Amino acid sequence: VEELKYVITSPELIPVVKPIEDKMEQFFSHMELKPKEGGFLISNERYVMYRASSMSIFLRKELEKIVGSGAEQAIYRFGKACGSADAKFFVEKLNLQSRFERIGAGPVHFAFGGYAVVQFLPETNITDDDECLFVYDHPNSYEADSYIQAKIECKHPVCQLNAGYSAGWVFGAEGLHLDAKEIACRAKGDAFCRFVLAPPKRLNERVKEIKEKYNLR
Ligand SMILES: [Zn+2]
């Protein structure tokens, strides 16, 4: 089996995700910078570029001034809205048919969008019921990287937009009502950024289970 280029996952998902990588490559191969018109188009879809550190460090700083500790939730919700809207767009644009194609396109778009690489861990178990669970790392998360590069010490995980984005994607792509929580983050000194995505009523329990399994505090 041919290896994937942009997602790290279990061998059985490789044949499903491979064609999506090709489709996404094609979508992102038509980039037009049109500064005379103030526009940036990818396959005729308008995108806007932000510097990663403006979108992570400075967005949070300003939100904290307005909503205090609610900033984390606000960033998470914004990420979730973006992920959901992007999923709906790409399901149609790339004509994604099966459930695994629709879900699998998320990590591929994530890589092309510059958010992070997605590396699925073996606990991931995609089902229709309350057993549904995703466990994954985000190597190279732009949010953690921004804080590390700025040498800002953090006590809590900072990748809330990325966390929200994945929850939003599975909802927009597949109608799954799940929420994500980051349980380890490079910005606070952990070796990786690790996430648990599960039905909201089981999220705390799942977080506890995965933290214990990987010996995370
Ligand atoms: Zn992180």
Side-chain angles (χ1 to χ4, degrees):
V1 186
E2 210 184 335
E3 292 277 306
L4 294 178
K5 285 194 254 180
Y6 313 118
V7 184
I8 305 165
T9 185
S10 55
E12 68 269 18
L13 277 176
I14 293 175
V16 183
V17 178
K18 188 71 210 158
I20 304 167
E21 287 197 338
D22 298 340
K23 284 182 179 186
M24 201 67 83
E25 251 177 15
Q26 210 173 6
F27 180 85
F28 276 90
S29 69
H30 303 284
M31 282 195 195
E32 292 172 274
L33 262 178
K34 292 182 158 178
K36 276 187 179 169
E37 295 157 37
F40 169 41
L41 303 178
I42 303 177
S43 284
N44 284 325
E45 182 69 14
R46 190 157 178 184
Y47 275 70
V48 185
M49 284 193 263
Y50 293 96
R51 281 189 330 116
S53 77
S54 303
M55 269 301 276
S56 48
I57 299 167
F58 297 97
L59 174 66
R60 182 184 311 266
K61 250 187 185 168
E62 288 307 307
L63 281 172
E64 278 172 353
K65 286 179 199 166
I66 307 165
V67 293
S69 61
E72 274 189 15
Q73 191 62 10
I75 295 165
Y76 176 84
R77 292 273 294 267
F78 174 61
K80 198 169 176 179
C82 291
S84 177
D86 287 358
K88 285 179 182 142
F89 172 81
F90 279 103
V91 162
E92 200 179 305
K93 187 81 184 171
L94 305 184
N95 189 25
L96 304 173
Q97 299 289 332
S98 78
R99 141 167 287 191
F100 291 108
E101 281 182 321
R102 291 192 288 267
I103 291 174
V108 183
H109 183 257
F110 212 62
F112 274 90
Y115 300 91
V117 169
V118 181
Q119 175 171 13
F120 287 103
L121 299 188
E123 293 79 12
T124 298
N125 179 29
I126 308 169
T127 67
D128 275 320
D129 55 17
D130 286 347
E131 291 301 306
C132 191
L133 175 69
F134 293 80
V135 184
Y136 48 93
D137 289 356
H138 280 172
N140 212 23
S141 156
Y142 85 90
E143 291 178 293
D145 270 0
S146 299
Y147 283 87
I148 292 165
Q149 277 176 20
K151 297 188 167 65
I152 299 173
E153 281 182 34
C154 305
K155 286 197 172 75
H156 303 286
V158 299
C159 304
Q160 276 87 33
L161 194 141
N162 281 351
Y165 195 95
S166 48
W169 188 280
V170 295
F171 176 72
E174 202 48 34
L176 296 176
H177 290 276
L178 307 176
D179 271 314
K181 189 166 174 62
E182 189 176 23
I183 60 170
C185 184
R186 286 189 300 118
K188 69 176 188 72
D190 296 315
F192 39 73
C193 292
R194 183 159 296 168
F195 301 81
V196 172
L197 176 65
K201 63 178 174 184
R202 295 200 62 192
L203 186 57
N204 287 342
E205 167 205 339
R206 292 300 213 175
V207 162
K208 193 164 175 271
E209 175 191 327
I210 301 297
K211 273 184 162 179
E212 274 169 16
K213 181 163 184 184
Y214 287 100
N215 208 11
L216 299 168
R217 281 184 300 125

